[in-house]
């Protein structure tokens, strides 16, 4: 980890990114770079991307998430070490690729972020209302659940996606998720399927994965949580789905809501069998 | 009124055809969204409610029985507001800007205006190739390049394109294309500008 950080710091000196990541803050590399001379910026960016491929900035957020996981915090001054992500308290290896799943203690199907927020509330005493206030990364702040999800996801690097369908509630979540995926409404009559239900579609030059099939579902699962080059922020699938509902011209879905867990169950099960590469980079 | 009754009949027939199980999940999905969503800016909770076209398309996997589709298309067609002056051609240069702009109608935007205060965009390039010079275009819709050149410039084509942009569902009930006039996204003047973009012989689309 140390060598990764060092290389990143050296490579990113022009982008003022790496040091910020360690304090849970991110800068916007593209914006910062815009002031410089054009060719120099382009060259810097190439270098930036090469290093990224080797040492993803996601790893800096994994490190931050790891620290948060083990630190006693919140009104109850507790760590998350007793948090059960599905494989038993504190057992994180391979947990992310088996989420969403049914949790008997909560009586609900939960995706990774929903479960982490549940643990922050039950174990540490944080208020869900507060965590939901500004849940997405901005230029000045990366919320703690984002780093925590990145840490947990990193513990499934190289493992097969195996989102369970054993429990009746898990099968129900898939079916309801599928219905939500195909539900057209709003002023523009869009559903997820309008953009993600057919092969080979594009919005402008952006490829739209066909999430109703394995290959597309894999593309949609892979690389998240992801560091977005545009804007220089770490984001989870909670953010991605929120922004897609915005583009769908729907009202706004609740953060870590059942609707999103159901959609992520649909997507995850469709991606089952593929080896997850871990948190990554997105355009 | 006659079409309305026929529609109700068609819907009842459909409801029987759909298995009780699928209905359950569908109902759960709708309840789930009503419970979990909140209004944000201009995007109110009423946007989660289906109108007749959406209901039928949702319940038939976008593949409604032909007679029902035709009846509902007719209803949509009759509600198109054509320009009172009978003139469909606006300014293609303004049309190009509307076609390029993707912003409109999200929870960040205002009524009739984008978050940046510009008039609403039509998102046309998001889905269609139009002027060949713009190489960044989507593929959800077919290519509209050389539209007038290949389809003709006359009043019938002009009226068709105006109507198609105003309400795409009047011609193809479960089209992926939004109903841009019907939904209040674009004004009459904006739709005329877009017709000109596709059908003015001087528009770069026809060069």
């Amino acid at each position: 980890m140390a060598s990764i950080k060092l290389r990143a710091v050296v490579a990113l000196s022009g982008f003022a990114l790496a040091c910020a990541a360690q304090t849970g803050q991110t800068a916007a590399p593209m914006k910062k770079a815009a002031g410089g001379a054009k060719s120099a910026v382009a060259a810097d960016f190439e270098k930036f991307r090469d290093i990224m491929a080797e040492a993803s900035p996601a790893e800096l957020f994994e490190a931050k998430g790891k620290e948060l996981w083990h630190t006693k915090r919140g009104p109850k001054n507790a760590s998350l070490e007793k948090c059960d992500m599905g494989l038993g308290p504190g057992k994180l290896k391979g947990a992310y690729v088996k989420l969403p799943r049914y949790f008997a203690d909560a009586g609900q199907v939960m995706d990774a972020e929903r479960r982490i927020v549940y643990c922050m509330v039950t174990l540490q005493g944080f208020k869900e209302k507060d965590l939901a206030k500004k849940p997405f990364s901005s230029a000045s702040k990366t919320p703690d659940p984002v780093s925590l999800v990145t840490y947990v996801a990193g513990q499934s690097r190289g493992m097969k996606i195996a989102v369970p369908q054993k429990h009746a509630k898990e099968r129900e979540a898939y079916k309801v998720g599928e219905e939500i995926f195909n539900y057209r409404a709003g002023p523009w009559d869009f559903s997820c399927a309008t953009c993600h239900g057919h092969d080979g579609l594009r919005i402008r030059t952006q490829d739209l994965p066909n999430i109703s099939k394995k290959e597309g579902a894999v593309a949609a699962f892979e690389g998240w949580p992801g560091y977005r080059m545009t804007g220089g922020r770490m984001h989870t699938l909670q953010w991605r789905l929120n922004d897609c509902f915005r583009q769908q011209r729907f009202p706004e879905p609740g953060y870590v809501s059942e609707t999103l867990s159901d959609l992520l169950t649909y997507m995850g099960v469709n991606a089952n069998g593929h080896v997850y590469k871990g948190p990554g980079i997105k355009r | 009124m006659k079409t309305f009754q026929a529609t109700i009949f068609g819907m009842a027939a459909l409801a029987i055809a759909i298995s009780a199980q699928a209905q359950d999940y569908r109902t759960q999905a709708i309840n789930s969204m009503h419970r979990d969503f909140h209004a944000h800016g201009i995007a109110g909770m009423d946007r989660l409610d289906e109108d007749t076209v959406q209901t039928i398309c949702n319940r038939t996997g976008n593949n409604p029985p032909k007679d029902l589709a035709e009846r509902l298309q007719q209803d949509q067609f009759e509600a198109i507001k054509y320009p009172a002056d009978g003139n469909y051609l606006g300014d293609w240069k303004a049309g190009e800007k509307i076609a390029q702009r993707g912003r409109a109608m999200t929870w960040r935007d205002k009524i009739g205006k984008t978050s940046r205060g510009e008039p609403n965009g039509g998102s046309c390039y998001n889905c269609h190739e139009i002027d060949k010079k713009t190489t960044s275009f989507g593929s959800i819709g077919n290519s509209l390049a050389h539209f007038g050149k290949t389809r003709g410039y006359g009043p019938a084509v002009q009226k068709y394109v105006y109507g198609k942009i105003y309400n795409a569902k009047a011609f193809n009930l479960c089209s992926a294309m939004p109903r841009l006039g019907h939904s209040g996204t674009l004004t009459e003047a904006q739709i005329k500008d877009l017709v000109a973009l596709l059908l003015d012989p001087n528009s770069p689309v026809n060069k």
Side-chain angles (χ1 to χ4, degrees):
Chain A
M1 202 60 219
S3 78
I4 288 165
K5 267 187 205 162
L6 189 64
R7 267 186 293 148
V9 171
V10 172
L12 303 179
S13 52
F15 292 95
L17 165 83
C19 48
Q22 289 175 52
T23 57
Q25 311 243 313
T26 55
M30 303 298 293
K31 222 152 112 201
K32 287 258 154 71
K38 255 233 166 90
S39 58
V41 169
D44 266 5
F45 184 69
E46 299 277 287
K47 216 190 298 167
F48 171 77
R49 211 177 34 197
D50 289 351
I51 301 289
M52 294 286 114
E54 245 182 274
S56 164
E59 291 184 29
L60 301 172
F61 294 96
E62 278 183 64
K64 171 77 183 165
K66 183 176 182 180
E67 190 191 309
L68 286 169
W69 185 271
H70 294 286
T71 306
K72 290 191 173 130
R73 298 177 342 116
K76 293 190 185 168
N77 195 36
S79 78
L80 287 170
E81 283 161 359
K82 291 211 178 77
C83 177
D84 180 356
M85 293 298 293
L87 305 180
K91 293 219 165 70
L92 299 185
K93 271 260 168 287
Y96 183 82
V97 284
K98 296 195 180 71
L99 291 168
R101 71 185 303 138
Y102 177 73
F103 287 90
D105 57 2
Q108 285 172 324
V109 172
M110 297 176 140
D111 61 87
E113 193 152 349
R114 191 174 194 205
R115 184 62 184 175
I116 283 170
V117 165
Y118 176 85
C119 285
M120 288 175 78
V121 170
T122 53
L123 299 176
Q124 298 183 307
F126 289 107
K127 295 257 180 309
E128 179 165 344
K129 203 170 78 234
D130 298 334
L131 296 171
K133 248 180 219 151
K134 280 201 169 6
F136 307 126
S137 300
S138 67
S140 59
K141 192 166 167 44
T142 302
D144 293 338
V146 172
S147 301
L148 284 161
V149 173
T150 310
Y151 168 53
V152 171
Q155 302 299 301
S156 282
R157 194 176 273 107
M159 297 183 185
K160 256 196 196 149
I161 301 169
V163 177
Q165 286 283 275
K166 273 213 196 79
H167 197 281
K169 287 268 183 209
E170 293 166 347
R171 291 193 295 274
E172 182 181 290
Y174 180 92
K175 289 289 189 186
V176 175
E178 183 176 29
E179 291 289 337
I180 297 169
F181 187 83
N182 287 301
Y183 184 75
R184 300 181 75 171
W188 283 18
D189 313 320
F190 284 164
S191 67
C192 308
T194 308
C195 294
H196 296 291
H198 309 271
D199 291 341
L201 296 187
R202 281 189 337 265
I203 287 270
R204 292 282 185 154
T205 56
Q206 299 171 356
D207 290 322
L208 301 169
N210 179 355
I211 295 173
S212 71
K213 286 199 195 154
K214 179 165 177 183
E215 195 191 343
V218 163
F221 193 103
E222 209 40 285
W224 296 100
Y227 180 80
R228 287 198 105 212
M229 310 284 256
T230 3
R233 283 159 213 183
M234 194 68 204
H235 281 305
T236 66
L237 278 166
Q238 286 283 325
W239 170 83
R240 184 64 259 182
L241 264 46
N242 179 279
D243 200 57
C244 275
F245 271 120
R246 182 182 64 80
Q247 291 184 54
Q248 203 168 305
R249 274 77 186 176
F250 272 38
E252 184 168 17
Y255 174 61
V256 298
S257 58
E258 188 171 317
T259 296
L260 299 183
S261 263
D262 289 352
L263 275 170
L264 292 173
T265 302
Y266 175 68
M267 201 174 106
V269 170
N270 287 351
N272 271 349
H274 171 84
V275 175
Y276 173 59
K277 291 201 201 73
I281 309 169
K282 288 280 169 186
R283 267 174 356 96
Chain B
M1 201 57 213
K2 218 169 50 225
T3 47
F4 181 69
Q5 275 165 3
T7 304
I8 294 294
F9 176 75
M11 279 166 60
L14 260 171
I16 295 162
I18 293 164
S19 83
Q21 185 88 110
Q23 287 278 31
D24 277 0
Y25 293 133
R26 212 184 98 82
T27 306
Q28 276 188 56
I30 293 169
N31 292 344
S32 184
M33 286 186 276
H34 274 99
R35 183 194 59 226
D36 291 343
F37 282 64
H38 54 269
H40 188 162
I42 62 169
M45 286 294 281
D46 57 333
R47 289 189 177 192
L48 291 177
D49 301 330
E50 304 157 289
D51 73 353
T52 313
V53 171
Q54 292 166 341
T55 305
I56 295 301
C57 294
N58 283 337
R59 289 186 180 214
T60 59
N62 295 308
N63 194 13
K66 196 162 166 274
D67 57 335
L68 181 59
E70 279 169 3
R71 238 177 273 136
L72 290 176
Q73 278 171 211
Q74 188 59 31
D75 289 350
Q76 296 289 301
F77 188 81
E78 280 165 13
I80 295 175
K81 289 200 191 77
Y82 285 100
D85 61 5
N87 176 18
Y88 303 107
L89 279 196
D91 168 9
W92 67 261
K93 287 199 190 93
E96 168 70 8
K97 288 210 186 84
I98 300 160
Q100 288 281 358
R101 196 174 299 139
R103 284 167 208 274
M105 304 295 269
T106 76
W107 65 57
R108 286 197 201 133
D109 301 307
K110 305 265 154 27
I111 295 171
K113 279 188 300 199
T114 72
S115 52
R116 298 174 177 173
E118 304 153 320
N120 277 347
S123 276
C124 316
Y125 279 101
N126 280 3
C127 293
H128 291 285
E129 177 180 44
I130 307 177
D131 178 351
K132 289 257 186 196
K133 281 198 292 295
T134 295
T135 54
S136 163
F137 58 84
S139 65
I140 297 178
N142 53 313
S143 172
L144 304 176
H146 303 149
F147 197 84
K149 228 172 156 177
T150 48
R151 303 281 278 269
Y153 299 102
V157 184
Q158 290 177 13
K159 189 175 181 197
Y160 160 64
V161 171
Y162 186 96
K164 181 74 188 176
I165 299 171
Y166 189 97
N167 188 340
K169 271 71 174 179
F171 303 86
N172 172 1
L173 193 71
C174 299
S175 170
M177 177 163 158
R179 296 171 276 181
L180 293 153
H182 175 89
S183 61
T185 306
L186 300 178
T187 63
E188 179 178 306
Q190 284 182 303
I191 300 177
K192 286 180 174 183
D193 291 340
L194 288 163
V195 176
L197 177 67
L198 297 182
L199 294 177
D200 188 325
N202 296 315
S203 160
V205 171
N206 295 313
K207 296 292 172 197

